[in-house]
Amino acid sequence: MSTIVDPSTNGHAGNGAAGGEPLVRLRDVTMLFPVRAGVLQRVKGHVRAVDGVSVDIMPGETLGLVGESGSGKSTLGRVAIRLLEPTKGTVHFDGRDITKLKPSAVRPMRRDMQMVFQDPYSSLDPLTQVGQSVAEPLETHDSMSRAERETRVAELLSMVGLPAEHLHRYPRELSGGQLQRLSIARALTVNPRLIVLDEPVSALDVSTQAQVINLLEELQQNLKLTYLLIAHNPSLVRHASDHIAVMYLGRVVEQGGSDDVYLRPKHPYTRSLLSAIPVADPLVQRERRRIVLEGDIPSPTNPPSGCRFHTRCPWVMDVCHTVDPEGYVTPDGSVVHCHLHTTGPTLAGETVLSLPMPKGASSPT
Amino acid sequence: MSRGRGTIARAWSRYRKNPGAMIALGFLVLLGLVALFAEAIMPHDPNKQDLVNAFQKPSGDHWLGTDDLGRDMASRLISASRVSLRISFQVVGSALLFAIPIGLIAGYFGGKIDNFLMRIMDGLMSFPALILALAVAGILGPGITNAALALTVVFVPSFSRLMRGQTLAVRQETFVEASHSIGTPSRRIIVRHVLPNAISPVVVQTSLALGGALLAEAGLSFLGLGVQPPDASWGSMLRRSYDFIFTEAWMMLIPGLAIALTVLSFNTVGDGLRDALGIAGVSRRERKERRGLTTVVRGANGNGDATAAAAAASPTPTLPPPVLTEAIRERNAKRTDESIDASRPLLSVEGLEVSFQTPRGLLKVVEDVNFAIFPGETLGLVGESGSGKTVTSLSIMRLLPSPPARVTAGRVMLEGRDVLSLSFREVRELRGPTMAMIFQDPMTSLNPAFTIGNQIGEAVRWHEPINRKQATKRAAELLDLVGIPTTRLGAYPHELSGGMRQRAMIAIALACNPKLLICDEPTTALDVTIQAQILELMKSLRDELGMAMLFVTHDLGVVADICDRVAVMYAGQIVEQAEATALFHNPQHPYTEGLLKAMPQDTKPGEALYVIPGRVPSPGEHDIGCRFANRCAYAKVECGQQPIALGTADDEAHLSRCIRVHELTLGKAP
């Protein structure tokens, strides 16, 4: 039997530690982008980038947001720090409703919420010295003298492990890893409470990724930061997050503790995603039975009816074509949107791994 | 607070290297000085008439002769220069004063403001320049001020459109969004971030516009609408000389040449600025070398000889023998129309060295690379950015752009011929039927102007004498092979998803059934689930068609999935080469060990990820010995003393460039 999710405990039902208030609370957030076409640029339809998402981010923790193209994860990140105003739904930060604030009212709040972007090479103005770029938040939010600013920037550079003389360099003189650290330094300048990390290491090499992730974790410990980590590599997200939310075509299909989601996925998409990552061991990789999804990810302009994943789901049932699944709270505290838990084989909270492999799954070569 | 001063200095040093541009600039500076100090330089009073001495040819007293009223041409020319130049600068200057803010505001804010401003600009642009000037002159009367006003109005729309276009592009850059997220107010973002990044093409256009304004003023004055007598501009001088064109033709030459030389100089300076500021466009020097075929200049590297000598001294290691698994045998059996000798390499790269021409000289980016690919096998080339793997793969097909790339040593033996010694035509015949390539980003590798059916068909028709109908049929077959519905034959690349585009590129590569397929990070830009699909596709195609593959990637998981043997590259060299399972279970080089340990899959959550300290050296930045030594946990003094060759590790199939390999026990372990 399905349990209607109680929004106040979304994703944390049964999680005894969650006594406090979430730092960020998103409820039924929907973000629609108009699609214009024709000579008169009339609105023909909408891109349903985010469609009814509710998540909480607890202070001091990391929520990992995993998904592929069209999942809406980057858009959700931007809504969470009010770079975008959601079409529907609410955004609460530290208990305060910031959904409808005008940009000028949001500006002072920017001290508390910052963002680090994916591409280190274009995140910093190429014509400005990096020290200047890192100090930019100070100009808007603080009134420090020039000397005080330089001290603060030097302090930040050392916090991220860069030598102080880099102050005067230009972005083109530095590597991707160094630039990403500078972006992190810039985000820390005015002591934020929340940082949204939008694919912070995707553009970096494996060994540099490790350095930056370790740095982020260290900073979180020392400065009591809260992170929203957006990434497409589930292993990395599992390593770095306390909770994970998996997104597909604008919806959160599964969310829960990172180990629960990673080791005991409850949604077919989560399982397929995890299964698609190749394992760095030829013997294991070639013997694995993997799920290779057929077809492309549908367009967010025209999402499938019923459960959005039904066009590619290996365990699709009739009900999936017509009814959008409600959230189901599992015994270990995860929330999953899938009919398998309430009809058909009725997993009732069990992991999808317990189901037999569907026909058409890839067999070992 | 320095704002891009480094950028201006760099642009200037690039500009200085362009002799034509420097001469033009010198001329303009000289002209400027002449105009500025006109009174001091003029030999005579430009307005002083001397009818007796009219129409004199150039002489000692009158360097450029006299005009119809006996006035000294040279002095008139000099004083007129001031007028002409002043008008040019005034017109362009005031146009920019309006156009830059209009363009910035329209581009940055968009929406109704953009619409409003741009429609006004469109309205102004719809008038032909001269008609507009005539209209203004008609309303306000002739004279330089009014002429200048008319010309300003003419120049504003095109500058504002240029500025707007640049603003639109810069506005989408991540650093602008970053400034938003910091809370920086819009006006500061526009002035500090958008304007400097958007301005370069406007600077180039300014130089060209100065020349244009000069010509426009000359034109107006020629028509009698500009400068009025007795004042002179070059245009009005031209007018007067025109009256006497049949009797004293030489008189027109003088102001005419002055105008021509000045405009030419403005244009040349504009070109020089375009090159110096690095705006898109191929410089003259680059155009000379052939595109589509990497230049091979063996022995061009006079420097770095120690490595070359060492490589020459130690014999090329015998390449590892083929690993003839069941799978490879089955693949070779599929190629029924060829006789395959599975014990001889299909491709053999020997001592490959590639260098790049940089402002700091010739830099080696790939050095001493040796590997072989046997028929039917898949060799993985793994490395991080800066390892040289992509450069290596492109040089096999000679696709690196020259300049700046040059192959400076080595051979690439394909079916018994050295690809590096062949002519363009011979290489082109190999590309397609013998070897083909697929690239990382299908969006930029497919031609956006043609349908995929067309592009696949083109690949076939280049090598086989078939007509268009047959080519379309082949294209449909290939689409079927790669899993694209044949209804999409007429689709353009932008209409397809990332995975479909990559499949289309695979279809193009397979069009002529090549023996060797080179893949440069084909799945890096794709989503994880799509990557899995494409890898499955490539494996099944490889098995069905019996192709050998060179698979370049940075993802060890992908390597484990698809490769039979692996070569690991670091800082331009191969540091380890082994059969795939051996590499993952028994790494024989500290770098490989480091890569394996850094994978997040194998790290317990809560533990810090393993990090290889330091960073990859840039080309030319490394020392004489092992290039990994400064980051290696096992490094000893001997490691840095001399160049290290690739030698056998555990067995002849496993090679390593580590001199301590026999002493160390490496592995992923806890």
Side-chain angles (χ1 to χ4, degrees):
Chain A
M1 24 119 216
S2 69
T3 315
I4 304 298
V5 179
D6 172 8
S8 66
T9 57
N10 199 356
H12 299 280
N15 180 354
E21 281 295 304
L23 183 61
V24 179
R25 162 161 287 194
L26 300 171
R27 285 282 170 273
D28 296 317
V29 168
T30 300
M31 191 73 216
L32 303 176
F33 294 105
V35 173
R36 293 175 192 278
V39 176
L40 294 173
Q41 294 291 293
R42 293 244 209 80
V43 177
K44 289 291 166 88
H46 288 92
V47 176
R48 308 189 73 90
V50 177
D51 207 348
V53 166
S54 302
V55 285
D56 287 344
I57 311 179
M58 304 303 287
E61 293 189 338
T62 302
L63 174 67
L65 208 52
V66 186
E68 298 178 293
S69 322
S71 60
K73 58 191 193 300
S74 291
T75 310
L76 190 67
R78 281 162 173 74
V79 170
I81 55 169
R82 273 308 317 273
L83 276 180
L84 292 171
E85 184 180 323
T87 317
K88 281 188 243 180
T90 58
V91 181
H92 282 79
F93 184 79
D94 204 14
R96 203 176 133 198
D97 185 344
I98 63 171
T99 324
K100 295 282 178 221
L101 289 182
K102 294 231 285 281
S104 48
V106 177
R107 188 170 299 135
M109 303 201 61
R110 296 250 164 262
R111 298 192 74 113
D112 291 329
M113 29 194 215
Q114 289 286 320
M115 190 152 176
V116 173
F117 298 84
Q118 176 174 357
D119 182 4
Y121 298 97
S122 59
S123 296
L124 295 167
D125 184 343
L127 296 179
T128 317
Q129 289 179 349
V130 300
Q132 227 62 63
S133 291
V134 170
E136 190 173 331
L138 290 172
E139 292 166 26
T140 316
H141 298 283
D142 255 323
S143 45
M144 285 186 176
S145 70
R146 176 142 167 211
E148 286 171 337
R149 274 212 287 269
E150 284 199 8
T151 321
R152 176 69 178 147
V153 173
E155 193 187 323
L156 289 163
L157 286 189
S158 86
M159 245 195 262
V160 299
L162 289 173
E165 48 284 355
H166 276 49
L167 258 186
H168 299 291
R169 299 278 192 93
Y170 287 92
R172 65 171 178 272
E173 302 173 68
L174 301 170
S175 73
Q178 291 168 318
L179 289 172
Q180 203 61 313
R181 287 172 199 246
L182 286 165
S183 290
I184 294 171
R186 177 174 60 184
L188 295 172
T189 311
V190 284
N191 296 315
R193 300 177 58 193
L194 169 73
I195 303 188
V196 174
L197 303 157
D198 187 3
E199 308 251 22
V201 295
S202 309
L204 304 174
D205 283 320
V206 170
S207 47
T208 323
Q209 285 188 16
Q211 286 178 10
V212 174
I213 293 285
N214 286 350
L215 172 68
L216 285 169
E217 290 178 349
E218 194 186 307
L219 289 168
Q220 183 177 39
Q221 284 258 354
N222 298 345
L223 302 174
K224 310 272 183 295
L225 297 168
T226 307
Y227 288 150
L228 175 60
L229 174 64
I230 301 172
H232 63 261
N233 179 348
S235 332
L236 199 68
V237 173
R238 180 239 182 155
H239 176 89
S241 314
D242 301 294
H243 304 279
I244 297 183
V246 180
M247 286 187 75
Y248 184 81
L249 271 190
R251 295 280 176 79
V252 171
V253 297
E254 179 172 352
Q255 57 177 303
S258 7
D259 278 350
D260 290 328
V261 173
Y262 192 80
L263 298 172
R264 291 171 285 277
K266 321 270 181 328
H267 193 282
Y269 175 65
T270 315
R271 180 169 176 193
S272 313
L273 192 62
L274 294 171
S275 165
I277 308 168
V279 170
D281 183 335
L283 293 178
V284 174
Q285 178 64 14
R286 289 168 206 192
E287 292 309 306
R288 280 172 86 203
R289 307 211 58 206
R290 294 189 295 153
I291 303 175
V292 179
L293 295 174
E294 302 258 315
D296 285 315
I297 303 173
S299 161
T301 333
N302 199 6
S305 57
C307 170
R308 296 190 171 194
F309 188 56
H310 84 254
T311 55
R312 302 167 84 205
C313 183
W315 291 279
V316 63
M317 305 179 288
D318 285 333
V319 63
C320 306
H321 291 264
T322 45
V323 181
D324 202 2
E326 302 265 344
Y328 177 87
V329 183
T330 65
D332 60 11
S334 305
V335 181
V336 58
H337 292 252
C338 178
H339 289 299
L340 284 172
H341 290 273
T342 51
T343 40
T346 316
L347 290 174
E350 270 303 301
T351 168
V352 176
L353 293 172
S354 62
L355 286 179
M357 287 291 284
K359 347 180 234 310
S362 126
S363 20
T365 38
Chain B
M1 175 149 107
S2 59
R3 295 264 335 130
R5 202 187 300 135
T7 317
I8 295 178
R10 281 173 70 234
W12 174 239
S13 70
R14 270 204 290 254
Y15 186 90
R16 273 209 321 246
K17 299 199 177 108
N18 186 341
M22 286 302 284
I23 295 175
L25 187 64
F27 176 83
L28 289 175
V29 169
L30 197 62
L31 186 62
L33 289 171
V34 163
L36 208 57
F37 297 111
E39 281 94 10
I41 303 178
M42 286 189 294
H44 301 270
D45 177 352
N47 293 325
K48 175 153 170 274
Q49 301 183 10
D50 185 6
L51 291 163
V52 171
N53 285 320
F55 296 119
Q56 290 222 338
K57 294 275 191 314
S59 64
D61 200 29
H62 296 283
W63 302 336
L64 294 174
T66 59
D67 69 357
D68 55 311
L69 295 178
R71 299 177 289 195
D72 178 34
M73 287 284 274
S75 308
R76 284 187 73 74
L77 195 71
I78 292 173
S79 87
S81 72
R82 180 184 277 182
V83 176
S84 291
L85 283 179
R86 183 169 61 84
I87 296 183
S88 289
F89 279 91
Q90 189 177 313
V91 165
V92 175
S94 0
L96 286 175
L97 211 61
F98 285 100
I100 291 181
I102 290 176
L104 276 174
I105 292 172
Y108 189 83
F109 292 106
K112 295 201 175 71
I113 301 177
D114 181 20
N115 235 336
F116 175 70
L117 288 171
M118 282 301 117
R119 298 297 81 79
I120 296 179
M121 293 297 114
D122 286 345
L124 286 178
M125 267 185 113
S126 60
F127 286 98
L130 234 36
I131 307 286
L132 194 60
L134 284 172
V136 171
I139 298 172
L140 299 173
I144 351 171
T145 334
N146 298 333
L149 179 66
L151 288 177
T152 306
V153 170
V154 165
F155 276 96
V156 165
S158 49
F159 270 125
S160 67
R161 285 178 77 101
L162 182 61
M163 193 72 223
R164 173 182 175 271
Q166 287 301 110
T167 304
L168 285 174
V170 174
R171 189 184 62 160
Q172 293 176 0
E173 293 281 345
T174 312
F175 60 84
V176 172
E177 192 182 9
S179 289
H180 267 309
S181 72
I182 291 171
T184 313
S186 292
R187 63 177 180 281
R188 202 180 291 164
I189 296 181
I190 293 177
V191 171
R192 175 174 306 176
H193 292 295
V194 179
L195 179 57
N197 279 291
I199 201 88
S200 303
V202 176
V203 169
V204 174
Q205 192 68 9
T206 302
S207 183
L208 302 175
L210 284 169
L214 191 74
L215 278 175
E217 181 275 318
L220 283 181
S221 301
F222 189 80
L223 290 175
L225 291 171
V227 172
Q228 303 298 306
D231 294 324
S233 75
W234 288 342
S236 66
M237 283 178 71
L238 212 55
R239 179 82 190 82
R240 283 202 83 84
S241 323
Y242 178 68
D243 288 335
F244 306 101
I245 192 170
F246 291 112
T247 46
E248 311 284 345
W250 58 271
M251 277 175 66
M252 275 200 95
L253 272 182
I254 293 165
L257 270 178
I259 294 174
L261 282 175
T262 310
V263 173
L264 187 64
S265 301
F266 275 128
N267 286 354
T268 311
V269 166
D271 277 346
L273 279 174
R274 184 182 287 136
D275 286 341
L277 291 170
I279 297 168
V282 179
S283 75
R284 218 166 292 121
R285 220 174 348 121
E286 288 177 14
R287 278 191 279 267
K288 274 209 224 123
E289 309 218 27
R290 160 156 254 154
R291 304 219 132 216
L293 192 74
T294 313
T295 315
V296 180
V297 186
R298 292 199 179 82
N301 251 312
N303 49 1
D305 277 331
T307 321
S314 63
T316 316
T318 21
L319 297 166
V323 179
L324 274 177
T325 61
E326 191 55 44
I328 295 179
R329 261 185 258 268
E330 280 175 26
R331 285 175 217 148
N332 285 336
K334 288 285 165 58
R335 293 197 85 94
T336 46
D337 54 343
E338 295 153 20
S339 54
I340 308 235
D341 179 358
S343 64
R344 311 211 49 187
L346 176 64
L347 174 78
S348 170
V349 175
E350 297 166 16
L352 183 68
E353 184 185 285
V354 181
S355 310
F356 273 66
Q357 191 74 46
T358 69
R360 287 172 290 150
L362 207 59
L363 275 182
K364 275 189 245 187
V365 289
V366 165
E367 216 175 306
D368 189 30
V369 165
N370 300 283
F371 62 84
I373 303 182
F374 292 86
E377 81 168 347
T378 301
L379 177 72
L381 200 54
V382 187
E384 298 175 288
S385 52
S387 59
K389 59 192 193 298
T390 300
V391 170
T392 304
S393 66
L394 287 172
S395 44
I396 294 172
M397 301 240 326
R398 292 188 66 185
L399 283 174
L400 286 171
S402 285
R406 286 198 188 356
V407 176
T408 42
R411 305 194 304 168
V412 174
M413 305 302 291
L414 184 64
E415 295 194 314
R417 297 154 85 199
D418 182 8
V419 177
L420 298 178
S421 304
L422 300 178
S423 71
F424 182 57
R425 202 174 44 81
E426 291 169 316
V427 172
R428 204 175 59 189
E429 276 166 30
L430 285 178
R431 290 176 186 163
T434 314
M435 56 180 181
M437 190 153 177
I438 58 180
F439 304 91
Q440 177 173 344
D441 183 2
M443 199 56 217
T444 51
S445 310
L446 291 172
N447 190 330
F450 292 90
T451 63
I452 52 170
N454 199 313
Q455 295 186 53
I456 300 173
E458 180 193 354
V460 186
R461 283 168 60 212
W462 256 115
H463 296 278
E464 287 175 39
I466 59 176
N467 65 29
R468 205 164 281 186
K469 223 161 70 109
Q470 290 167 315
T472 311
K473 194 157 155 298
R474 265 308 285 285
E477 283 167 15
L478 285 162
L479 280 187
D480 202 33
L481 189 68
V482 299
I484 300 181
T486 45
T487 47
R488 311 224 63 185
L489 258 181
Y492 287 90
H494 67 265
E495 296 174 328
L496 301 171
S497 67
M500 299 276 257
R501 281 183 228 138
Q502 197 58 292
R503 289 172 194 258
M505 180 138 55
I506 294 173
I508 295 174
L510 296 181
C512 301
N513 204 5
K515 296 185 183 136
L516 172 68
L517 182 66
I518 303 178
C519 314
D520 185 10
E521 307 241 34
T523 56
T524 306
L526 303 173
D527 285 317
V528 174
T529 53
I530 308 293
Q531 171 174 283
Q533 279 180 7
I534 299 293
L535 285 176
E536 288 302 308
L537 172 70
M538 292 182 73
K539 285 195 288 190
S540 76
L541 286 173
R542 154 189 78 176
D543 291 341
E544 205 178 302
L545 299 172
M547 285 185 303
M549 281 209 283
L550 175 64
F551 204 98
V552 178
T553 179
H554 66 270
D555 187 334
L556 288 172
V558 170
V559 169
D561 194 24
I562 200 171
C563 299
D564 300 307
R565 285 195 303 123
V566 189
V568 180
M569 285 191 76
Y570 182 80
Q573 294 175 318
I574 294 187
V575 295
E576 185 166 354
Q577 210 183 125
E579 194 256 319
T581 315
L583 188 94
F584 284 94
H585 286 246
N586 186 18
Q588 296 289 297
H589 192 283
Y591 177 60
T592 314
E593 182 196 59
L595 284 182
L596 290 168
K597 279 161 81 165
M599 308 202 66
Q601 282 97 314
D602 300 320
T603 315
K604 293 198 200 14
E607 260 179 33
L609 293 170
Y610 177 78
V611 169
I612 307 176
R615 57 181 187 84
V616 181
S618 313
E621 204 183 58
H622 44 80
D623 293 320
I624 197 93
C626 172
R627 295 181 185 184
F628 187 64
N630 64 336
R631 307 174 71 192
C632 181
Y634 310 98
K636 291 253 156 90
V637 176
E638 304 83 72
C639 298
Q641 282 174 342
Q642 57 190 336
I644 310 199
L646 195 62
T648 43
D650 276 356
D651 56 69
E652 54 170 8
H654 201 143
L655 306 177
S656 165
R657 202 181 285 266
C658 177
I659 51 176
R660 300 197 61 208
V661 64
H662 299 287
E663 307 161 9
L664 298 170
T665 324
L666 300 167
K668 268 198 283 187

